[in-house]
Amino acid sequence: MLRTVSDAPTLWESVIPECLMGLPGDLGEIDELLDDTRFFEPFRVFFDPVMGRPSIPMETYLRMMFLKYRYRLGFEPLCAEVADSLAWRRFCRVPLGTRVPHSTTLMKITSRCGTEAIDGLNEALVAKAHDDKLVRLDKVRADTTVVEANVAYPTDSGLLAKGVAKLGRLAGQVQAAGLATRTTFRDRTRSVRRRAHDIGAWLRRRNDDAKAEVRKINAEMAGIAERTVAEARHIAANARRSLRASKVQATGKTLAVLAELERTAGLVERIATQTRVRLSGQTPDGSTRVVSLRDPDARPIAKGRLGRPVEFGYKAQVVDNVDGLVVDHGVHVGNPPDAPMLVPAIARLIARFGRAPRAVTADRGYGEAAVDRDLEALGVSR
């Protein structure tokens, strides 16, 4: 059940001198800004209006998360600092004599609401700024950047080794749950890890023989991965068949492990395929290349930055005004061209603010005649 505001102040606060009740710096302005009921709306869809244990007040959660990102604190240090500071307690609306929300409570709310709540908060913030006549929209600027995924630098051998090891672990968990116990599966984790170690040893030699040997080892690892994928899919199929035949409801954990086994098998097969493509002398298609088992939607993106010619993650487009206020943003899978993303962004601005910007600035990547024509049709004069 959703709670929006905190309880009434306690008796302890009535004995504190008035000079200690203020908020330092710009916390007073932020406190006044967040004291708007529209910032509670993005959280309502994630809580039942009547049933369930009451949540912590959303005004407390919002203010604590602001402090977390403002001062780059972890969840546990954040809770400790709020508990230790009278000013931060007052800013977060935590009455004296009551406990500060536990760090795990903040983590659970963040995991439950995810990016949908953040998008809703951004929209509410822009709408409030527009209602207060703070958004200048005569000139806007669009540009793209990379939102990096939390992945290690991907190599074919590294991805194959991690994929085979994960398949072996998941297959073992499925069989330990009593499914497909008589299906043969060989855990080839040690085999691929030994070959991955050999690749590192050969690369240190830096000669033509080393390159040929590395290609040979990569081919062997791709073959091992393909055999492991075939056996993993056999286990998954037999496990599904056993569940249908026994008509016994499996636990949610078992079904989640089985689904993860099937998903991982598909990813490892794609990694083996792109390894074969690279061994044939071609470059795998960046729009479909897998660079992470944990984040399969991340893609390699080349932006030409010095020292980091290729980054791994997502392409983001940001539109801001002359004051630096972000008035529109979008995150896209892969590395789509810049030009087709500009007109939809300006259309969203018109829908959000009710008018078109007078001038739009962007770099050469957006320079197409069709884009200029469509922007003029939307009412952009320059």
Side-chain angles (χ1 to χ4, degrees), residues 316-364:
Q317 177 180 258
V318 177
V319 181
D320 60 352
N321 65 358
V322 293
D323 297 319
L325 176 66
V326 176
V327 291
D328 185 80
H329 74 281
V331 180
H332 306 270
V333 175
N335 190 14
D338 294 351
M341 297 190 294
L342 182 56
V343 174
I346 301 303
R348 289 193 296 269
L349 287 184
I350 296 174
R352 184 177 293 125
F353 298 105
R355 67 183 189 277
R358 179 172 54 83
V360 176
T361 302
D363 60 24
R364 173 165 33 180

Side-chain angles (χ1 to χ4, degrees), residues 54-291:
S55 68
I56 64 171
M58 281 300 108
E59 64 175 4
T60 298
Y61 173 77
L62 281 173
R63 286 164 170 77
M64 292 188 70
M65 295 304 290
F66 167 78
L67 293 175
K68 178 184 186 303
Y69 288 101
R70 172 72 176 272
Y71 297 102
R72 300 182 180 180
L73 299 172
F75 284 100
E76 293 182 1
L78 169 67
C79 296
E81 291 291 340
V82 172
D84 190 57
S85 171
L86 178 62
W88 280 23
R89 265 185 174 269
R90 287 188 52 77
F91 174 72
C92 295
R93 309 287 175 89
V94 180
L96 290 176
T98 61
R99 298 180 61 181
V100 174
H102 198 269
S103 58
T104 57
T105 302
L106 302 179
M107 294 179 192
K108 290 176 182 177
I109 295 178
T110 303
S111 300
R112 171 187 288 189
C113 301
T115 57
E116 294 183 25
I118 295 176
D119 292 340
L121 289 173
N122 286 331
E123 291 291 337
L125 181 61
V126 172
K128 180 175 177 59
H130 177 58
D131 293 344
D132 295 341
K133 302 185 185 307
L134 300 176
V135 181
R136 291 196 291 174
L137 209 64
D138 53 339
K139 301 176 183 179
V140 298
R141 173 183 56 185
D143 199 4
T144 59
T145 186
V146 177
V147 179
E148 287 193 280
N150 186 20
V151 301
Y153 191 89
T155 61
D156 292 332
S157 58
L159 290 172
L160 289 172
K162 292 176 183 178
V164 170
K166 186 174 182 179
L167 287 177
R169 184 173 64 254
L170 293 172
Q173 293 177 3
V174 170
Q175 291 185 324
L179 299 175
T181 54
R182 291 193 289 180
T183 304
T184 302
F185 181 85
R186 178 186 170 190
D187 189 350
R188 299 176 174 85
T189 301
R190 291 179 59 188
S191 180
V192 292
R193 285 179 176 172
R194 183 177 68 252
R195 285 170 170 80
H197 181 269
D198 291 343
I199 286 178
W202 277 100
L203 285 176
R204 284 193 290 270
R205 303 188 184 186
R206 298 180 180 276
N207 54 39
D208 293 338
D209 292 340
K211 293 180 180 179
E213 188 64 26
V214 167
R215 293 171 62 87
K216 176 183 174 183
I217 297 175
N218 270 321
E220 293 176 358
M221 294 182 69
I224 293 173
E226 289 165 349
R227 291 192 292 273
T228 304
V229 166
E231 293 180 2
R233 283 180 167 162
H234 196 195
I235 283 207
N238 287 345
R240 296 286 187 188
R241 188 180 301 111
S242 298
L243 289 175
R244 290 193 299 267
S246 63
K247 297 182 180 180
V248 177
Q249 185 67 32
T251 63
K253 181 179 179 180
T254 300
L255 292 176
V257 170
L258 187 55
E260 182 66 15
L261 176 63
E262 295 169 336
R263 187 189 75 91
T264 304
L267 290 176
V268 175
E269 184 179 42
R270 290 171 57 187
I271 295 170
T273 300
Q274 68 192 30
T275 302
R276 298 285 190 191
V277 172
R278 192 181 299 278
L279 291 174
S280 67
Q282 303 177 17
T283 302
D285 185 5
S287 63
T288 58
R289 181 186 166 195
V290 178
V291 298

